[in-house]
Amino acid sequence: MDAGCSVSGCGPAFVYMFIRGLAEGGKECGIDEKTALTMAAQTVIGSAKLLMESGDDPSVLIEKVCSPGGSTIEGVKSLEDDNLEDVVVNAVQAAYKRNLELGNLG
């Protein structure tokens, strides 16, 4: 239960942070704030829907949208260099640790 809460209960805040960052990146590239936020949110919705409907592993979908030498692979390389997945794993583990602590308080 604590592990599930760490993903499903805390996860929305983590996703909102990603959406906020995606939108901010769009703004810095010249998209107005409202449009950037809408595009970021819709991108997350569409990506999650495709993941659920396709049954493909996320790695397969990443590979499908990355053209060699294209813009997507450059962004993916940047996220890999910044260890995005490790940062997210660490957030889930921190939430899990706190869930365990809270459970031991009762």
Side-chain angles (χ1 to χ4, degrees):
M1 179 104 160
D2 290 321
C5 287
S6 302
V7 175
S8 295
C10 303
F14 307 156
V15 173
Y16 299 144
M17 291 178 75
F18 179 80
I19 291 170
R20 184 175 61 194
L22 198 58
E24 185 60 34
K27 284 173 41 184
E28 290 183 10
C29 292
I31 302 171
D32 69 89
E33 184 173 1
K34 183 178 178 186
T35 301
L37 186 58
T38 298
M39 290 174 71
Q42 288 293 335
T43 297
V44 169
I45 290 169
S47 300
K49 184 176 179 185
L50 180 61
L51 175 70
M52 298 302 296
E53 291 177 356
S54 71
D56 287 339
D57 184 85
S59 298
V60 171
L61 295 173
I62 292 166
E63 189 175 314
K64 285 182 178 182
V65 299
C66 289
S67 303
S71 56
T72 305
I73 192 64
E74 287 305 308
V76 167
K77 287 177 185 176
S78 176
L79 292 171
E80 289 174 343
D81 289 346
D82 291 336
N83 300 307
L84 174 67
E85 290 180 21
D86 291 341
V87 169
V88 175
V89 168
N90 291 341
V92 173
Q93 289 175 340
Y96 178 66
K97 179 181 175 192
R98 184 62 179 149
N99 281 328
L100 292 176
E101 292 168 355
L102 292 170
N104 289 330
L105 295 177

